[in-house]
Amino acid sequence: MHKRNFTLGLALAGLLAATGVQAQTALDDVLKAKEIKIAIPTDFPPYGFVGTDLKPQGLDVEMANYIAAKLGVKVELLPVTTSNRIPYLQTRKADLVISTLGKNPEREKVIDFTVAYSPFFIAVFAPKAVALKGPADLAGKSISVTRGSVDDMELSKVAPPSTELRRFEDNNATVSAYLAGQVQTLATSAQVAGAMMAKNPQMNTEFKFVLKDSPNFIGVAKGEDKLRQKVNDIVMEARRNGDIDKMAVKWLGRPAGELPN
């Protein structure tokens, strides 16, 4: 009898493994270790960048610290790039990704998302002398964009076939290519472009047109519903009590306003 039960147990374990069912342990592991690992950007001001004290700061970094404090645990901040932030979740190197992450059907197949925590929009920028009223005007022009980012996906949807898309591995390289004159135009967030324009007024860069209005969500490993719901509770309370708006005003110069769930 015991042998039969043992055999059935093995069979059940094999079935669970084959169907991808996994125990939800992330929240319990975090609370047990009293530490949470959160992936953040360090090349995307004002969401995440390295300050003069050489420490990460920005809206995403503040949000990471806020969630850790509400959970009552320490936080280990893990700098990531646009291209490796999702793999950090998939390989369990990070418990959460707070890195200007937009939600789309492709990403929802491989990771889960919390409710939105901050506003974000992507646009095309170029010198005032370059006439650009919409995507059709990109025909025959070169543009820099960060590989694998929402910027890249949205630009690829609307850019005419004759547009020269120059893809770079991180935002610093994307902006640097534009500043160096390697490309005529730039696709990035208004926040990144704003910081660039303030530092480089000689470029006479201006906003041309919006590619996507895409709020930021926190990424959670697929199936970790207990952790996702706990973070949802923290973010929703922060939205209700005004803490989210305070962060947005501090780092973006505007309140977060209405955000999607």
Side-chain angles (χ1 to χ4, degrees):
M1 188 68 175
H2 291 300
K3 184 176 180 181
R4 180 174 179 274
N5 287 342
F6 178 71
T7 304
L8 286 173
L10 286 178
L12 180 59
L15 178 61
L16 291 175
T19 56
V21 176
Q22 182 175 334
Q24 295 184 32
T25 62
L27 179 59
D28 293 336
D29 292 345
V30 164
L31 297 177
K32 182 178 179 180
K34 300 188 185 309
E35 181 178 71
I36 187 166
K37 296 178 180 180
I38 303 180
I40 50 94
T42 54
D43 66 341
F44 210 88
Y47 291 95
F49 58 101
V50 178
T52 53
D53 58 359
L54 302 182
K55 293 181 180 179
Q57 59 180 283
L59 191 153
D60 287 355
V61 177
E62 185 169 342
M63 190 75 237
N65 288 323
Y66 184 92
I67 288 173
K70 292 296 181 181
L71 288 172
V73 300
K74 295 179 181 178
V75 62
E76 180 182 352
L77 299 174
L78 305 172
V80 291
T81 63
T82 300
S83 57
N84 73 8
R85 55 191 173 169
I86 290 177
Y88 261 59
L89 268 186
Q90 294 174 304
T91 57
R92 308 289 169 144
K93 290 181 181 178
D95 301 301
L96 300 174
V97 169
I98 306 180
S99 181
T100 59
L101 195 61
K103 181 165 66 171
N104 60 52
E106 291 77 17
R107 287 177 178 166
E108 286 185 290
K109 292 176 183 176
V110 293
I111 65 171
D112 290 333
F113 293 88
T114 67
V115 296
Y117 69 95
S118 74
F120 183 88
F121 70 91
I122 301 157
V124 169
F125 300 83
K128 292 179 181 179
V130 177
L132 279 178
K133 293 184 178 179
D137 295 324
L138 287 173
K141 294 182 175 65
S142 56
I143 186 166
S144 63
V145 66
T146 301
R147 187 188 310 278
S149 64
V150 176
D151 318 15
D152 188 4
M153 288 185 280
E154 294 302 319
L155 177 63
S156 298
K157 289 179 185 177
V158 299
S162 62
T163 307
E164 182 189 349
L165 271 62
R166 297 282 306 280
R167 293 181 172 90
F168 298 88
E169 294 307 314
D170 58 46
N171 295 305
N172 284 335
T174 298
V175 171
S176 294
Y178 170 75
L179 293 175
Q182 296 174 23
V183 294
Q184 297 165 281
T185 61
L186 167 70
T188 190
S189 74
Q191 290 75 17
V192 168
M196 177 200 69
M197 290 187 284
K199 293 178 182 177
N200 302 274
Q202 78 283 359
M203 295 292 291
N204 291 315
T205 302
E206 67 178 9
F207 162 84
K208 296 297 184 179
F209 60 89
V210 169
L211 286 171
K212 185 176 180 67
D213 191 359
S214 174
N216 294 318
F217 298 80
I218 297 171
V220 186
K222 201 72 179 171
E224 290 290 353
D225 295 330
K226 287 169 63 178
L227 177 60
R228 182 178 58 81
Q229 188 54 56
K230 185 65 176 178
V231 174
N232 271 348
D233 293 343
I234 292 171
V235 174
M236 290 302 291
E237 177 58 26
R239 281 163 51 166
R240 283 191 293 268
N241 66 25
D243 286 347
I244 290 286
D245 277 331
K246 289 176 185 175
M247 288 185 213
V249 169
K250 176 180 177 180
W251 296 106
L252 306 177
R254 49 160 283 197
E258 292 295 321
L259 294 170
N261 294 334

